[in-house]
Amino acid sequence: MDFDACDHVRPIRWMGDRLELLDQRKLPFETDHVVCADADAVAEAIAELVVRGAPAIGIAAAWGVVLAAQALTRADPSVDSGDAALARLQPAIAELRKARPTAVNLAWALDRMCGALRATGVDWLPRLASQAEQIVAEDLAGNRAMGLAGAQLIEPGSGVLTHCNTGSLATAGFGTALGVVRAGVAQGRIARVFAGETRPWLQGARLTVWELQQDGIDATLIADSAAAHLMAGGQVQWVIVGADRICANGDVANKIGTHQLAIVARHFGVKFMVVAPSSTVDMATASGADIVIEQRNPAELFGVAGKRHVAHGVRAWNPVFDVALAPLIDAIVTERGVVAQPDASRMAAFFAPKTSA
Ligand code: MRU
């Protein structure tokens, strides 16, 4: 398929000495960029959701390490090995690591950047930058592969419902779940696309339907609370979502509301697909019960676009991820292939580290 024809939005621009991030807090009506000149600015942008989506925050963090490394060479040009640089970069890496807790891609990307530094010589800085470039290139290629693999599972003429934003805005491009939507629409398999609003931050309403509109893909926005009614009416054959962390037993942490979609889908016989790169798989976390669920400011529930609609003095609870349990999932699609009916043994067959004989 012609991937570029249906994939125009890019949230992250590396400019050689700074990182430009499309400010996702302002979409869809303003397309502003936040310029990050150092690693602290990148960490802040991740924490504040200027850039969001599991793969995208990993990519931004990787470039944050490069910015920290450039600052180090300016301050001390005598650093002549990757190991020496790594020791000096630890505070910046630690700041980036704690920017958000749930998406494992953040720690994964930082670990890869650390790995690239180990045992390198005087050329440690260009090698570090090329590691970040590689992470970007692999993410885009992986998304395209997952898009095609996921679309294969969908019967022609199907309707799909997606949640949150898993598109180019959340990745290096093409998207994970939204990549399957792009491929499925291009191949004529998907006839109807529905996107949930994704309260409280409105990733679906503000980002997903806008992103699809940029690429000429017709989509219908629904209130999150309309999902059961939609599925009951038979308009949807697959729910397709991304992931922030996939556990060793196949449990999946994703945007709040994902778990209830999985339960409702099972009730109505609608299939449930999770699409994520293998960088989202965390075999060190046994099950969803072990995942740290990010809690954000309850004020996100009190209003929209700065306009308060909740009485003062009301309490709110704002977990921004939940866990869809493995038995509710029909397929986990990664760039390594499809894990059908995921459980601990099927996950291990795909993702357990290979031991050499
Ligand atoms: O809080 P966000 O917007 O970063 O949450 C994003 C999601 O939950 C996405 O569904 C997930 O990261 C997959 S993005 C390809």
Side-chain angles (χ1 to χ4, degrees):
M1 73 173 270
D2 182 355
F3 291 105
D4 293 325
C6 61
D7 181 22
H8 294 97
V9 176
R10 288 292 178 270
I12 301 173
R13 293 198 302 230
W14 174 244
M15 305 303 285
D17 61 351
R18 63 193 186 282
L19 191 65
E20 294 185 354
L21 299 172
L22 178 58
D23 192 342
Q24 300 194 28
R25 299 169 303 181
K26 296 186 176 168
L27 289 172
F29 295 121
E30 284 176 58
T31 45
D32 252 7
H33 286 81
V34 168
V35 179
C36 301
D38 57 34
D40 282 350
V42 176
E44 192 184 326
I46 293 170
E48 296 297 319
L49 308 190
V50 171
V51 60
R52 33 69 44 207
I57 64 179
I59 290 164
W63 288 120
V65 178
V66 177
L67 287 171
Q70 290 177 337
L72 174 61
T73 53
R74 281 195 299 275
D76 182 357
S78 73
V79 179
D80 63 357
S81 77
D83 287 318
L86 184 55
R88 305 271 296 271
L89 291 172
Q90 282 307 336
I93 292 169
E95 272 310 298
L96 288 162
R97 200 178 285 274
K98 66 178 195 217
R100 292 190 78 187
T102 304
V104 72
N105 306 61
L106 177 60
W108 172 88
L110 292 169
D111 290 345
R112 248 184 87 158
M113 295 300 277
C114 293
L117 279 173
R118 285 192 190 98
T120 51
V122 284
D123 61 345
W124 62 272
L125 182 50
R127 280 185 180 237
L128 191 67
S130 76
Q131 185 66 216
E133 275 166 16
Q134 214 174 306
I135 289 173
V136 174
E138 283 173 20
D139 190 64
L140 181 58
N143 291 340
R144 290 173 170 181
M146 292 190 297
L148 296 176
Q152 287 299 311
L153 303 176
I154 299 171
E155 288 293 318
S158 295
V160 302
L161 169 63
T162 190
H163 189 56
C164 195
N165 173 271
T166 62
S168 299
L169 285 169
T171 64
F174 203 66
T176 56
L178 226 52
V180 172
V181 170
R182 282 189 164 90
V185 168
Q187 294 175 356
R189 292 172 181 277
I190 296 178
R192 297 171 298 285
V193 180
F194 296 91
E197 279 183 299
T198 321
R199 286 282 297 150
W201 212 74
L202 298 174
Q203 285 92 335
R206 293 193 308 101
L207 307 179
T208 297
V209 288
W210 173 79
E211 183 181 324
L212 291 174
Q213 189 181 54
Q214 301 309 298
D215 290 322
I217 296 171
D218 192 42
T220 302
L221 181 67
I222 63 162
D224 297 323
S225 44
H229 185 59
L230 178 75
M231 288 191 238
Q235 295 224 60
V236 162
Q237 282 61 53
W238 280 91
V239 174
I240 311 178
V241 300
D244 287 81
R245 193 180 292 247
I246 301 176
C247 304
N249 72 342
D251 286 352
V252 169
N254 190 51
K255 180 52 54 192
I256 192 77
T258 300
H259 189 196
Q260 65 199 25
L261 288 178
I263 292 168
V264 173
R266 180 55 54 93
H267 180 82
F268 288 110
V270 170
K271 297 262 179 64
F272 196 86
M273 186 192 306
V274 174
V275 189
S278 54
S279 53
T280 306
V281 175
D282 176 13
M283 293 301 281
T285 297
S287 77
D290 304 317
I291 295 176
V292 177
I293 299 291
E294 180 180 1
Q295 302 278 335
R296 291 190 73 84
N297 190 342
E300 288 181 356
L301 290 168
F302 293 148
V304 175
K307 186 166 172 10
R308 188 169 178 121
H309 55 243
V310 176
H312 291 282
V314 170
R315 227 183 357 261
W317 179 55
N318 190 19
V320 297
F321 298 97
D322 62 20
V323 176
L325 302 173
L328 297 172
I329 297 168
D330 292 287
I332 294 179
V333 177
T334 76
E335 81 286 2
R336 297 195 196 167
V338 177
V339 186
Q341 268 70 53
D343 61 13
S345 69
R346 293 192 185 104
M347 288 296 292
F350 261 79
F351 300 110
K354 304 270 178 290
T355 46
S356 49

